[in-house]
Amino acid sequence: MTAPQGPIATSGEGAGGVPIPPSAVVAPAGRWYRFPSGASLLGRTVYLVLLTFLTAIFLYPFLWAVSASLKPREEVFDNKLIPRHWQPSNYLDVFRGVPDIATGAPFERWLFNSLYIGVLAAVTVTISSAIVAFAFAYFRFPLRNFLFACVLATMMLPGAVTMIPVYLIWNKIHLTGTQYPLWASNLFASAFYIFLLRQFFLGIPREMFEASRMDGDSYLTMFWRIALPLAKPALIVTAVLEFKASWTDLTKPLIYLRDDNQFTIPRGIYNLLGLLGPSAGGHGDYQIVIAGTVLATIPMIIIFFLGQRYFIEGIATQGRKG
Amino acid sequence: MATVTATVPGPRARARHWFAGFAQRETWAAFAFLSPWLFGFFVFTAGPMIASLILSFSDYSVIQTTHNVGWDNYHHLVHDPKVRSAMKTTLIYTVMVVPAHVVLSLGLAMVLARIGRLAGVFRTIFYLPVMTPAVAVGVLYLLLFNGDHGLINSGLGLVGIHGPFWETDPHWVKPSLVIMHLWKVGASVVILLAALMAVPQHLYEASAMDGAGKWRRFWDVTVPMISPALFFIIIINTIAALQTFDEVYTAFFNASTPFGTDATLFYSIYLFQEAFVNFHMGYASALAWGLFLVIAVVTAIQVYGSRRFVYYEGDKR
Amino acid sequence: MQGWRKSLAFASLIAALGVLAFAATLASAHSTTTKAGSLNIMGFGTGDDVAESRAAIATKAAGATVNRPSGGFNDQQFLAAVASGNPPDLVYLDRQKVGTYAAKGAFVPLTSCIKSQKISTKQYRIPGLNEVTYKGQIYGIPEFYDVRTILVDNNVLDQAGVKLSGLDTSNWPRLLATAKKLVKIENGKVTRIGFDPKIPEFFPLWAKANGVDILSKDGLHPHLNDPRAVAALQFAVSLINAQGGWDKFKSFRDTWDFFGSNNEIAADQVGAFPMEQWYYNVLAGSSPKVHITALQFRNKKRQPINYETGSAWAIPKGSKNPQAACTWMKSMTSVSTWLAAAKNRAQIRKAKNQPYTGISTGNALADDAIYKQTYTSINPFFDQTVKKVLDVQRFSFNVPASPASNEFRTAWNDAINRVLAGQQTAKAALDQAQKESVAAIKAATK
């Protein structure tokens, strides 16, 4: 049997005063390993070795990108992890442009755009999807299963064919050429997150809601005071995933944005790629593109790291079941 | 909650009961909660979906005038050898990648759940590939999977295995794409980890007290408790796998390395080409609805299967 | 959380969202609408010095406010714009796509533009013009001219004791023998390629060398399974098979540090291969000390041939400012503009101690002037390549404009890939490609 490890777990009290046992970072039964009980040290070592090995594999491409971003043009693809010659000025070049390629990119502008669009997209979709997901999880009403099937169905049609009709809709309300289409449809929730959050809401025992209803709470209060806090990890996951999706999306900016200053990072890098390719007259300065890419990934890493730390704490202090 | 009579109600009574549901306060509240999605659904989803359905019966090409062509597109679809080949490729890939993805992400999540504080760092590391843009991944694919000189085969060579030509041998291309995809399990790991950490400790303790070993505890406690999340991961990844586009496109179909072959022509790629390279939007719409059908059937089977296997805590429905 | 704190948090969230949304409005205030006197160009984002210096001249000539969102031409983007009834006024794209868009009525013929602006079409090289001519009407103004010559690594030839004449592409058996002499295979891995035929990309070149055009001049009748085309493909594949087979061949080729200082020429990893002319400029920059020779590609009759491609300007249907578009096109591709750009580039490169190998413009008069007035010697090897590139231009041929150019290209590309992967014989693959192309063109001309 394993002892609880990780953040200190505290008992909490759920609605209705029902004591809830602490849910520490549990140690689920091992899948592949059967160790005699006294061998936790061996178990731990194996885990760490395994993790380190996997980390190397998972981390390698990113390390390669960072390494390439610090190399001069001639060495970018030489397959060495440690650059032979260091050229950190590549990062400056992202902003000021390669000398004979006329302009520098408004990279800071792109960063800012990606940031606030990402935040808008993430926050709106989390709130709206939570509301809708809760409805599917808690309420009993006619057409519920049919409508949920519709939710699922929206994920099944490849985006390529709805792209033009959706573009025409935005065009009708004169919002093409602006940044609104990149996030505003998230005001109306998104099937993926509705599905995800519904699963989490379904894990909440009905008694908690019954108790709240008996106390005379409205549905909204119940949603706000019970459902949301208990689903905080899932909400954070939703926000982080959507932020990442918005951050890395290229298609929408490609067809909706017209002005350089409106671009998001992927759209900007797509540009840079086209400019720096040798047949376009550039020298194949891929190291600048890669430096831009690395720069672009850093805010995401920060947000992810913060987000997942937050929902760890969320779990530990909530101490809830389900 | 509406009262239910003791005897089994007849069809008229059931219908009445169903319609009566609309009068319930709960129903109105539900629809109030659903309203954001309902609005968006009708405008941004249902509308375009119906539009694409209508277009599938035409020869829409965006640029030229459109004519109704009846069932021609669907007729062509059924007889198009590329469709058959693309669908086969996509299905084989899906069958390979989904179980691998689920197993790997669950395994990783479980390992991460055990290591406490360090989990945060590792979680970020495993999620990093998900955040790495396609550009780098495409380039790296060529570097890693090169038959004679790539890192993977070099590594295999160290243990005496002569690695195949991943990129050019039609039999090995799909496995190489599966491996490349598995690199991005981070997103699922995050979700499963959240689910794992929400499993109450006391259930394990109770089970252990009943004398259950690790394996038993896994199957009796862990899996049922995280089954909603597992179900989600399976469905989402199946749908995504059947629609695979980005990764394969960047590796095989981008402008500088046009080495797409039959073995790498996934359904979504064929669809994209028909739509935006050959300007057969009408036919592409028909292709899309063909894929929709396949996905709907597969998902329906999975949902039906879930009734038996997925356990919801709040499940007295 | 206590009641009032919660409300405060909630209110702050709403406020924050509001601020963000407001910021969104501000940032989005750059949406462009076409006014009279403005020119929206798609596919010609901020480019290099040659593009920019010409653009400055053309902007002045056109006299309109020019909007050039960055990025190359993207079919999705263009289609979306057309669908919304708001096409750009001018587009810049690969010449090979012009035929298809023209056939669909997405571009307007440039006859009136050429007349009114008095554009002298004689200055443009004929194959370049042919590429943008469909059903007898010109739909584009050509810009740039990719020239394909054989890049030879002198060191490799010397090491293997092979003479330049061994690489004469008019003599296929001898070429095959040369390739076998130059290739190096050690431990089952290819360590040096003798002669890379560059298929599928340069298949039109090999077919033409064997005396057949893969597409008829009117762009409507493919000849992919003509016995001469099949023979050309078979020969090119045999070259690869004699040098390790496709798997090993490609594996090795993928390891080349193409743009780096340890590139395949500097590292003597290849004997020769046909290549576009811009690569000489890359080499001059990354490894100026290499000993290379540029050879013309010869057909079976020993005549030099060159497979050319490039970009073009075209005016979409529904363009709101075709006048300015026309003026722009004329200015961008005129001799004086090209010359100014070339002088500018030569200066910049000289100041930075970087090589300058001229520009291949697609405008015969401009090419001549540029070479005479702006080219200064680099070293005997590169000088020879620059001269050769200029010389072979008059032997160029093009793949004609076709109403289904993408599908046509995909058909023979896929066919050749299937042959390389060992899934079909050359004849069967090209038969299939022929069938597919004929069907595609038929459907596109209904």
Side-chain angles (χ1 to χ4, degrees):
Chain A
M1 193 122 54
T2 48
Q5 310 163 20
I8 317 283
T10 51
S11 298
E13 295 217 308
V18 176
I20 294 174
S23 92
V25 180
V26 297
R31 293 197 72 236
W32 304 286
Y33 321 105
R34 289 173 177 260
F35 298 118
S37 26
S40 61
L41 180 61
L42 177 64
R44 284 236 216 140
T45 321
V46 173
Y47 282 147
L48 281 174
V49 167
L50 182 72
L51 275 179
T52 315
F53 175 67
L54 286 173
T55 301
I57 297 182
F58 274 72
L59 212 47
Y60 180 77
F62 191 70
L63 286 178
W64 179 89
V66 171
S67 149
S69 70
L70 292 167
K71 294 181 184 164
R73 173 171 38 104
E74 304 81 56
E75 298 172 17
V76 170
F77 294 100
D78 66 0
N79 243 338
K80 294 199 178 8
L81 213 48
I82 315 274
R84 268 179 292 165
H85 297 103
W86 295 80
Q87 194 169 291
S89 59
N90 289 340
Y91 282 89
L92 289 178
D93 285 340
V94 171
F95 293 91
R96 30 163 222 231
V98 177
D100 49 353
I101 296 188
T103 48
F107 200 80
E108 343 51 87
R109 201 63 217 267
W110 296 344
L111 256 177
F112 173 70
N113 289 338
S114 282
L115 252 176
Y116 89 78
I117 292 178
V119 170
L120 270 177
V123 172
T124 49
V125 92
T126 307
I127 296 181
S128 57
S129 303
I131 296 175
V132 177
F134 179 71
F136 279 116
Y138 172 73
F139 293 114
R140 274 167 275 218
F141 56 95
L143 296 179
R144 185 189 64 193
N145 289 335
F146 169 71
L147 284 176
F148 189 67
C150 289
V151 171
L152 284 187
T154 55
M155 291 192 285
M156 300 186 206
L157 195 69
V161 292
T162 46
M163 196 191 95
I164 300 264
V166 170
Y167 181 84
L168 291 176
I169 293 176
W170 285 109
N171 199 52
K172 265 264 147 62
I173 49 181
H174 301 295
L175 285 179
T176 46
T178 71
Q179 291 162 319
Y180 287 109
L182 270 57
W183 60 271
S185 55
N186 280 353
L187 287 168
F188 311 113
S190 153
F192 181 88
Y193 303 112
I194 295 177
F195 189 9
L196 173 67
L197 290 170
R198 169 193 181 257
Q199 300 301 94
F200 273 86
F201 282 134
L202 281 175
I204 303 177
R206 275 195 95 80
E207 299 88 60
M208 299 204 163
F209 296 118
E210 303 305 339
S212 164
R213 295 280 292 144
M214 288 200 292
D215 284 350
D217 285 340
S218 74
Y219 288 117
L220 198 56
T221 318
M222 190 177 73
F223 169 68
W224 183 257
R225 293 193 63 220
I226 315 266
L228 277 190
L230 290 180
K232 212 187 289 206
L235 292 175
I236 307 271
V237 169
T238 303
V240 170
L241 289 180
E242 179 63 12
F243 183 83
K244 175 247 158 205
S246 162
W247 190 264
T248 52
D249 179 30
L250 177 58
T251 317
K252 285 220 218 36
L254 199 56
I255 58 174
Y256 288 110
L257 299 178
R258 301 214 194 102
D259 189 279
D260 272 35
N261 289 325
Q262 296 172 314
F263 285 176
T264 56
I265 293 196
R267 178 69 181 86
I269 292 190
Y270 176 79
N271 242 24
L272 284 179
L273 258 181
L275 283 181
L276 297 172
S279 43
H283 300 294
D285 286 295
Y286 294 109
Q287 77 279 9
I288 302 189
V289 177
I290 297 182
T293 306
V294 171
L295 265 183
T297 319
I298 293 181
M300 254 206 301
I301 297 181
I302 297 178
I303 297 218
F304 178 78
F305 197 69
L306 289 178
Q308 52 100 41
R309 231 194 63 202
Y310 180 50
F311 80 73
I312 292 270
E313 286 173 18
I315 296 255
T317 52
Q318 287 302 313
R320 60 155 281 252
K321 169 187 204 284
Chain B
M1 203 153 64
T3 46
V4 180
T5 52
T7 53
V8 177
R12 267 244 212 96
R14 279 208 300 274
R16 235 184 297 133
H17 176 67
W18 188 84
F19 277 109
F22 281 104
Q24 301 286 336
R25 193 176 157 238
E26 185 173 347
T27 309
W28 287 105
F31 278 99
F33 274 71
L34 287 180
S35 50
W37 175 76
L38 279 173
F39 176 75
F41 177 72
F42 280 114
V43 174
F44 287 100
T45 312
M49 280 174 84
I50 294 178
S52 82
L53 185 60
I54 296 177
L55 287 176
S56 72
F57 292 103
S58 74
D59 62 358
Y60 183 56
S61 68
V62 182
I63 320 176
Q64 295 166 297
T65 42
T66 313
H67 312 102
N68 186 328
V69 295
W71 291 95
D72 277 3
N73 287 333
Y74 289 99
H75 195 250
H76 185 209
L77 192 163
V78 170
H79 289 95
D80 187 348
K82 275 198 172 167
V83 168
R84 238 168 284 153
S85 141
M87 185 49 89
K88 196 172 102 178
T89 302
T90 311
L91 283 174
I92 294 178
Y93 173 79
T94 304
V95 166
M96 284 200 285
V97 86
V98 174
H101 183 114
V102 172
V103 164
L104 181 61
S105 56
L106 182 58
L108 271 177
M110 292 183 60
V111 171
L112 285 184
R114 293 186 136 207
I115 57 170
R117 278 212 177 76
L118 286 177
V121 173
F122 280 109
R123 202 169 19 235
T124 310
I125 290 178
F126 290 131
Y127 195 64
L128 253 169
V130 181
M131 299 190 272
T132 311
V135 176
V137 179
V139 170
L140 284 170
Y141 176 81
L142 289 176
L143 286 175
L144 291 174
F145 283 96
N146 189 308
D148 273 337
H149 306 269
L151 273 182
I152 295 193
N153 276 1
S154 306
L156 287 177
L158 287 176
V159 289
I161 305 178
H162 185 70
F165 285 97
W166 299 96
E167 297 164 16
T168 45
D169 186 341
H171 297 121
W172 285 100
V173 173
K174 282 196 268 296
S176 80
L177 289 171
V178 170
I179 296 177
M180 186 169 84
H181 171 87
L182 284 181
W183 185 59
K184 291 200 167 199
V185 289
S188 303
V189 171
V190 166
I191 294 175
L192 286 176
L193 189 54
L196 277 176
M197 294 171 82
V199 177
Q201 176 74 342
H202 73 95
L203 289 181
Y204 288 109
E205 290 162 359
S207 168
M209 282 201 292
D210 285 348
K214 289 197 181 176
W215 205 235
R216 198 96 288 267
R217 282 209 297 276
F218 174 71
W219 284 113
D220 284 348
V221 178
T222 313
V223 172
M225 291 307 290
I226 64 169
S227 56
L230 265 183
F231 173 63
F232 174 79
I233 300 284
I234 293 176
I235 298 235
I236 291 294
N237 280 290
T238 309
I239 296 181
L242 289 167
Q243 293 188 13
T244 297
F245 179 78
D246 286 339
E247 299 150 339
V248 186
Y249 195 75
T250 33
F252 285 100
F253 289 90
N254 66 68
S256 48
T257 50
F259 287 111
T261 60
D262 288 343
T264 57
L265 188 68
F266 280 64
Y267 197 92
S268 280
I269 295 186
Y270 184 51
L271 199 159
F272 180 86
Q273 285 177 337
E274 283 297 300
F276 293 105
V277 178
N278 301 335
F279 310 125
H280 298 149
M281 287 293 276
Y283 185 53
S285 301
L287 286 175
W289 280 93
L291 183 64
F292 178 87
L293 213 64
V294 171
I295 296 180
V297 165
V298 170
T299 308
I301 295 176
Q302 288 176 326
V303 169
Y304 190 67
S306 83
R307 298 236 175 115
R308 269 198 67 201
F309 296 111
V310 181
Y311 167 73
Y312 294 114
E313 188 54 30
D315 206 9
K316 283 163 189 107
R317 328 182 75 211
Chain C
M1 246 199 290
Q2 279 176 322
W4 69 268
R5 266 197 255 265
K6 197 171 58 182
S7 312
L8 183 62
F10 191 64
S12 325
L13 182 61
I14 300 290
L17 278 179
V19 168
L20 281 173
F22 182 61
T25 323
L26 284 183
S28 296
H30 291 273
S31 57
T32 48
T33 48
T34 313
K35 318 178 282 282
S38 74
L39 185 65
N40 293 327
I41 307 182
M42 184 182 277
F44 191 69
T46 36
D48 60 1
D49 56 292
V50 169
E52 283 314 299
S53 46
R54 290 181 301 135
I57 300 177
T59 307
K60 249 198 249 150
T65 330
V66 174
N67 299 314
R68 291 191 283 136
S70 336
F73 184 78
N74 181 283
D75 294 292
Q76 281 174 285
Q77 209 179 21
F78 181 63
L79 283 182
V82 171
S84 66
N86 203 12
D89 301 314
L90 179 66
V91 293
Y92 182 70
L93 74 172
D94 185 350
R95 279 208 279 277
Q96 299 193 6
K97 291 187 175 194
V98 173
T100 311
Y101 280 115
K104 294 202 181 311
F107 291 161
V108 298
L110 296 179
T111 353
S112 55
C113 159
I114 292 178
K115 230 201 269 173
S116 68
Q117 288 286 334
K118 300 212 196 11
I119 301 182
S120 161
T121 52
K122 285 219 197 64
Q123 60 185 327
Y124 305 119
R125 296 194 187 270
I126 297 176
L129 260 187
N130 282 345
E131 261 188 297
V132 293
T133 306
Y134 181 66
K135 288 224 169 106
Q137 295 187 303
I138 300 178
Y139 284 89
I141 299 292
E143 189 176 282
F144 288 117
Y145 212 66
D146 278 344
V147 173
R148 289 161 178 80
T149 52
I150 302 180
L151 166 58
V152 179
D153 183 340
N154 298 356
N155 282 351
V156 172
L157 261 59
D158 289 339
Q159 279 174 29
V162 168
K163 289 217 279 272
L164 217 50
S165 53
L167 290 172
D168 187 337
T169 54
S170 65
N171 188 333
W172 285 5
R174 186 170 60 185
L175 183 59
L176 183 58
T178 308
K180 286 196 195 152
K181 252 197 257 173
L182 292 172
V183 74
K184 253 209 233 160
I185 301 182
E186 294 160 343
N187 286 333
K189 291 196 189 158
V190 176
T191 53
R192 184 169 77 197
I193 288 179
F195 181 81
D196 178 1
K198 293 292 281 284
I199 49 168
E201 312 92 291
F202 292 172
F203 174 60
L205 185 59
W206 288 100
K208 184 77 171 182
N210 206 20
V212 64
D213 284 296
I214 55 174
L215 185 61
S216 66
K217 280 223 165 21
D218 58 9
L220 298 175
H221 304 285
H223 300 140
L224 289 171
N225 60 351
D226 183 304
R228 292 167 290 178
V230 176
L233 180 57
Q234 282 169 335
F235 176 66
V237 173
S238 74
L239 275 174
I240 293 181
N241 286 340
Q243 299 179 80
W246 179 239
D247 287 335
K248 296 187 196 284
F249 186 88
K250 180 173 187 297
S251 250
F252 176 60
R253 199 174 65 182
D254 283 345
T255 64
W256 289 356
D257 188 11
F258 208 64
F259 296 109
S261 51
N262 197 31
N263 57 61
E264 69 284 0
I265 301 289
D268 289 338
Q269 291 173 314
V270 63
F273 61 98
M275 189 63 203
E276 290 99 333
Q277 88 294 345
W278 49 259
Y279 193 56
Y280 291 119
N281 202 62
V282 173
L283 276 182
S286 56
S287 53
K289 301 232 184 347
V290 292
H291 292 183
I292 54 174
T293 312
L295 264 190
Q296 61 272 26
F297 203 97
R298 288 188 196 276
N299 62 16
K300 282 261 183 87
K301 299 204 189 111
R302 289 217 84 224
Q303 295 160 335
I305 53 172
N306 167 43
Y307 168 41
E308 67 82 22
T309 52
S311 313
W313 296 97
I315 301 184
K317 184 166 94 168
S319 160
K320 296 198 180 65
N321 201 346
Q323 314 291 50
C326 197
T327 318
W328 173 280
M329 293 195 297
K330 174 181 183 196
S331 175
M332 282 296 276
T333 55
S334 74
V335 178
S336 52
T337 314
W338 279 118
L339 195 53
K343 286 197 179 134
N344 188 35
R345 166 164 278 192
Q347 247 174 4
I348 297 179
R349 296 275 169 101
K350 187 187 216 140
K352 295 223 196 72
N353 222 353
Q354 277 172 355
Y356 168 68
T357 54
I359 307 178
S360 187
T361 68
N363 180 328
L365 302 173
D367 286 338
D368 214 39
I370 288 176
Y371 180 67
K372 291 213 180 78
Q373 296 184 34
T374 66
Y375 182 69
T376 51
S377 167
I378 304 178
N379 66 41
F381 298 105
F382 282 98
D383 287 351
Q384 186 263 340
T385 66
V386 173
K387 187 108 208 337
K388 183 64 76 178
V389 164
L390 196 54
D391 284 343
V392 300
Q393 299 222 10
R394 56 203 162 95
F395 300 109
S396 310
F397 75 93
N398 63 292
V399 174
S402 147
S405 58
N406 289 328
E407 286 158 284
F408 177 61
R409 192 192 183 83
T410 307
W412 57 259
N413 244 302
D414 283 356
I416 298 178
N417 282 330
R418 284 196 299 272
V419 176
L420 290 172
Q423 291 173 314
Q424 263 183 324
T425 64
K427 178 154 193 339
L430 287 176
D431 278 339
Q432 186 182 335
Q434 174 76 7
K435 234 177 33 176
E436 290 168 357
S437 312
V438 168
I441 293 181
K442 198 161 122 198
T445 48
K446 247 204 299 227

